[in-house]
Amino acid sequence: MPPPKSPLDDLRREIDHIDDTIHDLLMRRAAVVERVGIVKGQMEAAEGQASGNPQVPIYLRPAREAVILRRLMARHAGSFPAIAVVRMWREMITAFTRLQGPFAVAVYAPEDRRGFWDVARDHFGSVVPMTAVNSPAAAIRAVSEGTATVGVVPYPAEDDADPWWRFLVSSDARTPRVVARLPFAGRGNARGEDRDALAIALVPHEPTGDDRTLLGIELGHDLSRGRLKDHLETSGLAPTYFCTWHARDPSGPSIHLVEVADFVDHTDPRLSAFAARLGEIPVRINIVGGYAVPLHLSTSSFQ
């Protein structure tokens, strides 16, 4: 005689059915993503042929990824931790992106800064190829030269003696741009210091509805930070963070990295309004990139 069925047997069968359904949907999603990659490649090849400028297909879309995760968190309910949902989707997002084309990450992670490796792994997944480099400049170079899709570098600090971000203050098309701030949904069990990181890549800065933009402002004349801040605010560019680097040559320019609480692109009229307010002070403004404002999820909460 077979043993009598218990209520647990029915619940376990239900879990097995749910697991099969999730797996089926993952395989279905992968098939759709592969089709997306084919269509993207065809469209960008056609655009390159029409313009005479061959285009490299762009598969990484940090802005869309942020929008997806915000939408999921807005509908999330029940006891399953929200931060775990984000971690699962982050793993899937990178895995699906790799179906469309090459994907590799260069992480600033010297021996005493292994925490940056952890937040990069949490964001880009456990199977993406990742390489540790000993300087932010090496991460920038890896992205510029195409050996990495993404570079992960420390969030800028005022006391950085040789700030990496000044190498991004350029209009060169091969200069990487900031595309994300890490971690996007809490640090989890990442090791080391709790300093945030920025992801850089050769992809466009796109709006998500809740963004920060990083401006590189190069001034030919000395100007106090207070006056610079006033000119930015009057122009509608509310600054949330400043870093400044002065050239070793006293007659050289000063470069300010300014984080603005909004999405700003090259066509934004606020940039020309700001330049006009400076009058005769020589100024060059570059958009260093930007990022979607991270989610605020507690690692201990079960939302």
Side-chain angles (χ1 to χ4, degrees):
M1 295 286 292
K5 293 181 180 179
S6 73
L8 278 177
D9 292 326
D10 291 336
L11 292 172
R12 285 167 178 157
R13 274 193 297 274
E14 184 175 359
I15 288 174
D16 289 343
H17 175 69
I18 292 170
D19 287 344
D20 289 346
T21 302
I22 292 172
H23 191 204
D24 287 342
L25 290 172
L26 284 172
M27 293 186 289
R28 179 180 168 189
R29 194 183 195 280
V32 173
V33 167
E34 289 176 326
R35 286 159 49 200
V36 167
I38 293 170
V39 172
K40 275 187 181 178
Q42 292 172 340
M43 290 175 62
E44 293 182 14
E47 290 173 3
Q49 186 175 7
S51 65
N53 182 26
Q55 301 291 313
V56 177
I58 297 172
Y59 302 116
L60 181 68
R61 295 289 303 277
R64 173 158 168 74
E65 294 168 9
V67 170
I68 288 171
L69 292 172
R70 287 176 182 162
R71 179 178 62 81
L72 291 175
M73 291 301 95
R75 69 191 298 275
H76 187 65
S79 60
F80 193 74
I83 194 170
V85 175
V86 173
R87 178 71 183 274
M88 292 165 64
W89 250 260
R90 284 299 330 162
E91 191 83 33
M92 288 192 299
I93 284 170
T94 301
F96 287 130
T97 302
R98 289 188 69 201
L99 292 177
Q100 300 178 65
F103 195 113
V105 181
V107 186
Y108 170 64
E111 290 294 335
D112 59 340
R113 298 289 181 88
R114 291 305 190 193
F116 291 121
W117 180 276
D118 289 356
V119 296
R121 178 207 58 218
D122 289 353
H123 191 80
F124 294 107
S126 59
V127 297
V128 65
M130 287 193 2
T131 303
V133 296
N134 287 324
S135 70
I140 295 171
R141 187 164 55 252
V143 175
S144 297
E145 295 175 353
T147 58
T149 314
V150 175
V152 176
V153 293
Y155 187 82
E158 183 68 37
D159 59 355
D160 288 339
D162 187 21
W164 60 263
W165 52 263
R166 64 190 177 91
F167 299 110
L168 269 56
V169 182
S170 168
S171 58
D172 189 332
R174 294 303 300 174
T175 301
R177 296 289 177 240
V178 173
V179 297
R181 183 168 180 167
L182 314 182
F184 187 70
R187 293 186 62 81
N189 57 6
R191 299 167 291 176
E193 61 181 284
D194 60 358
R195 184 173 174 182
D196 282 5
L198 293 175
I200 59 172
L202 292 169
V203 299
H205 174 42
E206 297 178 317
T208 70
D210 187 10
D211 300 282
R212 298 290 183 267
T213 300
L214 295 167
L215 303 178
I217 301 175
E218 185 175 347
L219 298 176
H221 292 171
D222 192 26
L223 184 70
S224 72
R225 187 177 290 188
R227 288 188 62 196
L228 178 61
K229 182 175 182 289
D230 289 343
H231 288 319
L232 286 164
E233 289 179 340
T234 304
S235 304
L237 298 167
T240 58
Y241 189 73
F242 271 92
C243 283
T244 300
W245 179 79
H246 295 282
R248 291 183 176 87
D249 180 356
S251 63
S254 63
I255 303 177
H256 303 269
L257 180 72
V258 181
E259 184 179 274
V260 175
D262 201 355
F263 175 81
V264 181
D265 65 12
H266 292 285
T267 65
D268 196 307
R270 292 174 293 182
L271 294 179
S272 54
F274 166 68
R277 287 195 58 81
L278 293 175
E280 296 182 356
I281 297 177
V283 60
R284 184 165 54 187
I285 306 169
N286 283 283
I287 294 178
V288 177
Y291 61 85
V293 174
L295 298 167
H296 296 285
L297 304 176
S298 170
T299 57
S300 61
S301 65
F302 284 72
Q303 302 175 22

